[in-house]
Structure formats: structure tokens, C-alpha cells
Amino acid sequence: MSSAATLETGILRRYADDQLLPLSKLVLETAFQPIVELSTGRAFGYETLMRGHERLGFASPLHLLDTAAGAEQLLALEQMLASRALAKFATLPDFASNTLFINLDGRLIPQGEQVVDKLVAHLRKAGIPPSSICFELSERIDNTSVPEFAGLITKMRKAGFKLAIDDFGVGHAEIKLLCDFPVDYLKIDRHFIAGLEESPRKRHLVRNIVNIAHVLGIRVIAEGVETEPECLACRECGVDLVQGWFIARPTIFTSELQSAFPHLVDLGRGRRASQSLDEILIRKQIEMLPTVYEHESVDTVFELFRSNPRQSFFPVLNANGEPRGIISEHHLKEYIYRPFGRDLLKNKIYERA
């Protein structure tokens, strides 16, 4: 870089530091990178990423965020980026069946309630269910050491948000986080995915990480999948979802987002063709049941039991069609046979809890 260019960047940086938030509103954009079901090639969701930082003279998004934190503007900057990401997400034709992954900077945990409250308000206006939003908790910062962390996680879960551990394998207190807090997704860091097909040690580690996660009911996402061999190795290790340049690069244009990725479907065919005898026998015994969504009314639940008198329970799904639990007939009977029990179930305040 020439001395003139260095001087120009330095001047821009000093100006940007003084007017960081106003300039960010003019310059920064949000890009989406697809996160895809490895077995089907279907788009499951998108991670929102910052773009345009270089126009403000910053070498990386992390450098910009560090500067914003030093200027005590990190909260306002992150809220601005989140609101733009939500607005873009709401324009997708199938947003109700997708998940938007939003990074939560660990430095904002003490102000986390403000982040959650404002996000809930945005979601309500846009008609987006909270279960369509997943907060990524990067373990590059020791989140669990922050006093407000446990209370924030409780608030997020009650609001209906999903949680993911980002950068798994290169951070702090990850096993503790898995043990002590309800997590939906685990994102394995690119370090373990790069050259996975050539490294028996990496494959052994990834396979065991996947097994631990699945035992805990957590789905696994491989980050930074850049080649077909890496993708095939992820599949062999039991990874559920993949993200990276081999699937799709981040884009600021929603028109470029695909709902399916045929090259992954072709990879998946080999797996389905090699099903074990146990898998085939289990599939033959699966009984298909009607389902109820967690945001539906109690009247819908009553009607489901009325129209299926032989069934004593039904699976409960979130807005994305993911299982959240079951609802049993005997639980409803505890209220139905009490005075005002049915009215209590329909009470809006109770219903939200």
C-alpha cells in the first residue's frame, strides 16, 4: 500500500471513529449466508454477516466492532444491524420456515435484556415468530463468566429464541455451556473442518463431538465447508447442517438466495442408498402423527384430540417444524375437570408462559 493510500485510510479511520454510527448507517449492509440440511440440500436458514466495513477503513468486522465498543456505541450498532437483518429476512417468501442466525457479541451480555426486548418488538411488527431467530454465542469470549449471562439465557428461552454455540472447539467453557444451558445448535469451527477428509484425528474428534451433541438433543452445523471432500467427510461424521463456500457464498441480494442446492442432493443420494438394515426396519415402524405448533391456540389442541380420539398425545413443533416436545391428553384433563380450568388455559397471559 502506498504512503498516500495509508494516509487516506488513516484520515478516514479518524473521521469514522468520530462519526461511527451515522456513517455505519449509510455504509454498512447485511449479507446472508445459507445454512443447509446436509441430507436433503434444503436451505434451513441463514447467518447474517456484516458487509461494507472496509469502506470505513476497517480491516475486518471484528475491528469495527472493537472500535464501536471502545466508543460505547456497540449496542446501538448491533441493534441497527439486527433490525436491518430482520427487515431483509421478512422479505423472503419462506421466512416462516427458516431460521435467521444472529451473532451476539459477548460484550453486550450486561445489556442483553435491552437487546432481547428491542428484537422482540421488531419481530412483532414484522410477524416473525421468535423461534425463527437463533442467537449465536461465540465462545471466543468466556460468556459464562459474565454475571448476567444465566439470566439472559433464561429470558431468551422464555421469549422463544433458539441458541447456538459458535466457533466450537476454539473458545472458552464450551463443555460447561453444553452442560449447564439449553442449546439448540453447535457450530464446529472451520479449524476442524479444513482438510477433514485427510485427517483421521480431525474425523475422530468431529465424530465424537457430533455424538455428544446428538445425545444432548443438539444439532450440529459445520462452518467453513469449502470443498466437496470436506462436505462428504462431514456427512460421514454425522453432521446435520453445513455452511460455507462449497454450498454458497454470502450475498447482500436476497434474489440470489436459493431454497435448495442440487449438488448437495446428489451427495445425499449416496447416503440414502447405503442405509443399514436397522434404518430400513426402523423406518417401516414409524407412525405418522398429526402435529401442533407451539404458537397455536388451545382450541386447536382440543380440536386435535377431538378429531383423533384414539391418540393420547401429539408432537409439538416450533414455527420451523422442529420438535419441541409433546402434549399429552392427561395434562389437559388436569385443567378441564377443574372449575374454570378451560378458561384458565385460554387466558392470554397464561398461554404465553
Side-chain angles (χ1 to χ4, degrees):
M1 182 182 290
S2 68
S3 59
T6 304
L7 178 62
E8 182 180 344
T9 300
I11 294 172
L12 177 60
R13 276 293 319 282
R14 286 196 296 274
Y15 181 68
D17 289 353
D18 291 338
Q19 302 292 329
L20 185 61
L21 192 59
L23 285 175
S24 294
K25 290 179 179 178
L26 292 174
V27 170
L28 296 184
E29 297 180 278
T30 55
F32 285 177
Q33 184 173 31
I35 297 173
V36 179
E37 295 274 4
L38 186 49
S39 61
T40 65
R42 183 182 66 85
F44 174 79
Y46 308 93
E47 180 179 357
T48 177
L49 302 167
M50 180 200 302
R51 289 295 181 266
H53 54 275
E54 69 284 351
R55 300 175 199 164
L56 296 175
F58 293 96
S60 69
L62 288 176
H63 194 191
L64 172 55
L65 294 173
D66 289 344
T67 303
E72 298 185 352
Q73 297 186 61
L74 182 60
L75 176 61
L77 178 64
E78 289 280 35
Q79 287 182 329
M80 183 270 290
L81 291 170
S83 65
R84 289 188 175 180
L86 289 176
K88 181 175 286 190
F89 184 64
T91 66
L92 301 179
D94 53 352
F95 75 85
S97 60
N98 280 284
T99 298
L100 181 65
F101 289 74
I102 299 176
N103 288 281
L104 177 66
D105 193 301
R107 291 167 291 193
L108 292 180
I109 291 174
Q111 301 164 289
E113 291 203 4
Q114 292 176 252
V115 175
V116 172
D117 290 341
K118 190 157 188 177
L119 194 61
V120 168
H122 280 302
L123 293 175
R124 193 174 294 118
K125 289 180 182 178
I128 301 173
S131 60
S132 291
I133 305 299
C134 181
F135 281 104
E136 292 191 15
L137 306 167
S138 176
E139 280 302 288
R140 294 181 186 273
I141 299 173
D142 188 1
N143 296 308
T144 58
S145 67
V146 182
E148 298 88 351
F149 182 71
L152 177 59
I153 295 299
T154 299
K155 184 178 179 69
M156 287 178 169
R157 301 304 296 194
K158 285 184 176 179
F161 295 115
K162 294 186 286 192
L163 298 174
I165 302 177
D166 195 14
D167 307 315
F168 190 87
V170 294
H172 302 270
E174 290 159 332
I175 300 299
K176 180 181 177 183
L177 190 56
L178 282 178
C179 180
D180 296 343
F181 297 96
V183 175
D184 299 286
Y185 307 101
L186 186 156
K187 301 186 76 174
I188 299 179
D189 189 80
R190 162 71 184 162
H191 174 82
F192 301 96
I193 303 304
L196 180 63
E197 75 285 358
E198 299 175 348
S199 172
R201 292 174 69 87
K202 284 187 177 182
R203 288 199 303 275
H204 183 70
L205 282 170
V206 170
R207 188 175 291 112
N208 279 279
I209 290 170
V210 169
N211 289 339
I212 291 171
H214 285 174
V215 167
L216 296 173
I218 298 169
R219 303 190 77 196
V220 178
I221 303 170
E223 295 184 288
V225 178
E226 296 185 357
T227 67
E228 181 175 345
E230 288 174 357
C231 195
L232 286 167
C234 286
R235 189 188 69 186
E236 293 304 315
C237 289
V239 168
D240 303 292
L241 302 132
V242 286
Q243 173 185 4
W245 286 8
F246 177 68
I247 295 89
R249 297 193 178 215
T251 177
I252 62 172
F253 303 108
T254 56
S255 60
E256 294 179 354
L257 297 174
Q258 301 172 226
S259 59
F261 296 83
H263 62 298
L264 288 188
V265 174
D266 292 337
L267 290 175
R269 283 175 184 160
R271 183 180 183 184
R272 287 192 293 271
S274 60
Q275 283 183 333
S276 68
L277 177 60
D278 285 345
E279 287 176 309
I280 295 171
L281 292 175
I282 289 170
R283 287 187 180 279
K284 286 184 177 181
Q285 298 300 317
I286 291 175
E287 180 183 357
M288 302 300 292
L289 296 177
T291 59
V292 60
Y293 287 89
E294 61 183 3
H295 61 274
E296 290 183 312
S297 68
V298 174
D299 282 332
T300 302
V301 178
F302 285 140
E303 177 58 27
L304 200 57
F305 280 111
R306 188 198 65 78
S307 57
N308 297 272
R310 295 180 180 274
Q311 188 62 41
S312 61
F313 69 92
F314 294 103
V316 179
L317 310 179
N318 64 18
N320 304 105
E322 297 171 297
R324 306 307 290 173
I326 62 171
I327 186 164
S328 299
E329 188 176 19
H330 75 269
H331 289 144
L332 290 179
K333 286 179 178 178
E334 294 177 8
Y335 292 93
I336 294 172
Y337 298 133
R338 292 178 184 174
F340 311 110
R342 190 174 178 122
D343 292 332
L344 177 61
L345 284 175
K346 291 183 178 182
N347 183 284
K348 291 293 182 184
I349 297 177
Y350 181 84
E351 187 178 318
R352 281 198 294 273

